Amino acid sequence: MGIKEMLNLARVPSILMLGGVYMAYVLIGGVVFWKLEGDLRQKDINIFLSNKQNLLRTYTCLNQDGLEAVAQVVQDASKVGISLKNNYTVDGFWKFTSSAVFAATVVTTIGYGNMSPSTSAGQIFCVFFALFGIPLNMVVLSRVGKYMLVIERNISDFLEGKTGRRKCTRFFVHLVSYLSGMALFFIIPMIVFEQQEGWTYAQAIYFCFITLSTIGFGDFVADNNPNKDYPDWYSLLMASWIFFGLAWLALLINHSIDILERLNAHFKQGWCRQKQEGESGNAEGDNPDTQVEEEDEIKKSPITQ
């Protein structure tokens, strides 16, 4: 058995190789987050412990049990969306507009975690609502994404008929589509969130991607601050942005998957071609008839001085 046959037998299946790349990617990401956030998180813990000790020294009548009771009140107020800075309570999270946005986060599987049903009836309804709503949302988003793709292709075909340049036209249409989507679903919402929520631009763009990718950490949530009086159009804008932004990002992710699959097929075809050429070269070199013909041609060829 030759070296090439041994390598072919020892070749790792593609699924295992892909799984190894995936695991390595996740572990590398874990190491990077650990290095970037680990030290800062330890500083936050130290600051919290220092503030806690200062609070207990300042308010001597407040012991550990009292501090835990105050913390529980603050946590309950944050969960239901009540402001502690004012002498009155607001509507809380479960007004109609906020409830509609919550329903959108359920069917889109974003799930910020800032609000959740607490009654048994609400929890049971949430289960069945998500059970039928998530597949419906996937079908609708897929259909909307296909319509976006059809519009993009129609524009591309129209421009191809005018210019006669296919590759340049398609590249230009894709580029304009991506830039328009970035402006419509990232840049403009970033400016709106910076003005309405008081976030930095980095926090706003971070929130946009975490939301549209359905990761939904919940560390930043728009239309969630009980100390702010949001306009009525804000919740409607949020729901519309989430829906169409998800469709656009899904289309973008599908384009990325298609590009990766084409690259994988291209490299696989190149490897198979090299393998076939190597096998054919070895077969010709090992063929005795070919060697005899080559020797006869050498003997018959004239000798030049």
Side-chain angles (χ1 to χ4, degrees), residues 154-185:
N154 289 336
I155 296 175
S156 179
D157 293 338
F158 174 77
L159 295 177
E160 285 178 15
K162 295 294 184 180
T163 60
R165 298 181 178 180
R166 180 177 181 182
K167 292 184 178 180
C168 296
T169 302
R170 288 188 178 274
F171 175 77
F172 176 75
V173 171
H174 284 310
L175 181 62
V176 172
S177 176
Y178 293 154
L179 294 179
S180 301
M182 287 292 296
L184 188 60
F185 298 112

Side-chain angles (χ1 to χ4, degrees), residues 1 9-10 12-13 17 20 64 77 108 114 165 178 219 268 285 289 291:
M1 181 180 294
L9 290 177
V12 180
M17 184 178 298
Q64 181 66 31
T108 55
N114 62 310
R165 298 181 178 180
Y178 293 154
D219 48 353
K268 185 179 292 185
D289 296 335
Q291 294 179 356

Side-chain angles (χ1 to χ4, degrees), residues 224-278:
N224 184 62
N225 191 346
N227 298 312
K228 287 183 176 293
D229 187 16
Y230 296 102
D232 294 334
W233 54 264
Y234 191 56
S235 298
L236 179 61
L237 181 65
M238 276 282 300
S240 302
W241 169 71
I242 288 175
F243 178 78
F244 290 101
L246 284 174
W248 175 80
L249 192 61
L251 180 64
L252 182 62
I253 292 174
N254 288 333
H255 275 303
S256 301
I257 293 174
D258 183 58
I259 291 173
L260 291 176
E261 289 180 347
R262 289 185 180 182
L263 289 175
N264 182 38
H266 175 73
F267 288 125
K268 185 179 292 185
Q269 288 178 358
W271 178 80
C272 292
R273 189 180 300 110
Q274 292 179 356
K275 181 180 178 181
Q276 291 175 357
E277 291 177 356

